[in-house]
Amino acid sequence: DTAVSQTPKYLVTQMGNDKSIKCEQNLGHDTMYWYKQDSKKFLKIMFSYNNKELIINETVPNRFSPKSPDKAHLNLHINSLELGDSAVYFCASSQDLGFGQPQHFGDGTRLSIL
Amino acid sequence: GNSVTQMEGPVTLSEEAFLTINCTYTATGYPSLFWYVQYPGEGLQLLLKATKADDKGSNKGFEATYRKETTSFHLEKGSVQVSDSAVYFCALSDPKSSSNTGKLIFGQGTTLQVKP
């Protein structure tokens, strides 16, 4: 069973479109995250949620809107896509917000903007 | 602020060679330290961790020792295999900035290529 699953794996779309990426974890974790990985493999946190509550919003443009319908799901909706949004987006989860918790990652969604 | 610095890649080795990937950190508190590995086309997987000074994390033949005096957490393996080819990320969780946020700070990643 996949612990953290994201869909779709690949997303190719045109500038200006709106798209969503879904994430689900079956680990029973309280906390979920979204990361962006650029072409140089640099990984930056975007959001974290704990029990459906927003904890971190790392100065991400408000075109990006996370939604957590329950603690097992954290979806990412992106409006008015721009060329600079092309990247790999990773969802992750951890047991809770406790210090030093390891995070479990999905396989990523590769977003390409034409 | 908190930061993690890794050696530039790619690192290219022959099979059975000794591996070292350097990682140094800056933190305001006493962080926990992690190494994650990303195989091609996959997400990051936790490789090992250490939570306090002089701790040694180990897994799959890899090991790293938390050195507070040099603020380092270098990754080593005695004999690499082709299957170890991946991107390796060093990361920290600082109690002063991570408590109640779960935030990890990642290094820029180091690509390892192992040739047969």
Side-chain angles (χ1 to χ4, degrees):
Chain A
D1 273 349
T2 304
V4 181
S5 59
Q6 301 178 224
T7 54
K9 192 170 175 66
Y10 299 97
L11 190 50
V12 181
T13 189
Q14 294 197 326
M15 215 163 44
N17 284 351
D18 304 337
K19 291 293 178 186
S20 292
I21 307 172
K22 295 187 176 182
C23 179
E24 175 182 5
Q25 54 93 4
N26 63 6
L27 297 167
H29 287 170
D30 287 346
T31 309
M32 296 184 72
Y33 310 82
W34 277 109
Y35 288 88
K36 180 179 181 180
Q37 186 175 48
D38 64 22
S39 59
K40 295 184 177 180
K41 301 290 187 185
F42 185 70
L43 202 65
K44 184 170 168 56
I45 191 166
M46 300 172 69
F47 301 103
S48 73
Y49 269 71
N50 188 64
N51 280 321
K52 304 193 297 177
E53 180 185 348
L54 178 67
I55 303 298
I56 294 176
N57 179 341
E58 287 281 309
T59 59
V60 177
N62 58 14
R63 298 184 295 105
F64 290 79
S65 51
K67 285 188 172 47
S68 182
D70 55 62
K71 72 175 191 177
H73 295 83
L74 181 61
N75 303 322
L76 184 65
H77 187 76
I78 315 170
N79 289 327
S80 303
L81 281 157
E82 300 177 357
L83 289 174
D85 297 332
S86 294
V88 182
Y89 292 85
F90 286 100
C91 178
S93 71
S94 63
Q95 182 67 53
D96 51 44
L97 290 173
F99 162 63
Q101 290 283 346
Q103 295 181 13
H104 300 254
F105 284 76
D107 284 345
T109 296
R110 183 175 293 277
L111 174 62
S112 300
I113 310 301
L114 303 177
Chain B
N2 299 326
S3 65
V4 177
T5 302
Q6 296 179 226
M7 63 189 289
E8 290 276 340
V11 173
T12 303
L13 296 172
S14 297
E15 212 165 18
E16 299 184 3
F18 185 87
L19 169 71
T20 301
I21 299 179
N22 290 338
C23 170
T24 57
Y25 67 89
T26 302
T28 52
Y30 295 96
S32 285
L33 300 172
F34 305 84
W35 277 101
Y36 283 82
V37 57
Q38 183 180 23
Y39 298 105
E42 298 183 11
L44 280 70
Q45 303 174 24
L46 179 66
L47 183 58
L48 52 86
K49 65 180 278 190
T51 57
K52 62 183 187 298
D54 300 325
D55 267 1
K56 179 185 282 188
S58 61
N59 186 24
K60 299 181 182 179
F62 291 89
E63 57 183 36
T65 300
Y66 188 142
R67 301 281 187 206
K68 181 168 170 288
E69 63 277 11
T70 54
T71 60
S72 65
F73 192 54
H74 305 321
L75 182 68
E76 296 181 337
K77 187 176 185 182
S79 175
V80 293
Q81 306 300 313
V82 172
S83 57
D84 293 326
S85 297
V87 182
Y88 292 81
F89 291 90
C90 186
L92 72 81
S93 172
D94 182 343
K96 290 197 174 181
S97 60
S98 302
S99 290
N100 301 319
T101 70
K103 184 174 180 177
L104 288 179
I105 307 287
F106 285 90
Q108 72 270 36
T110 302
T111 299
L112 171 65
Q113 299 171 343
V114 180
K115 297 188 174 180

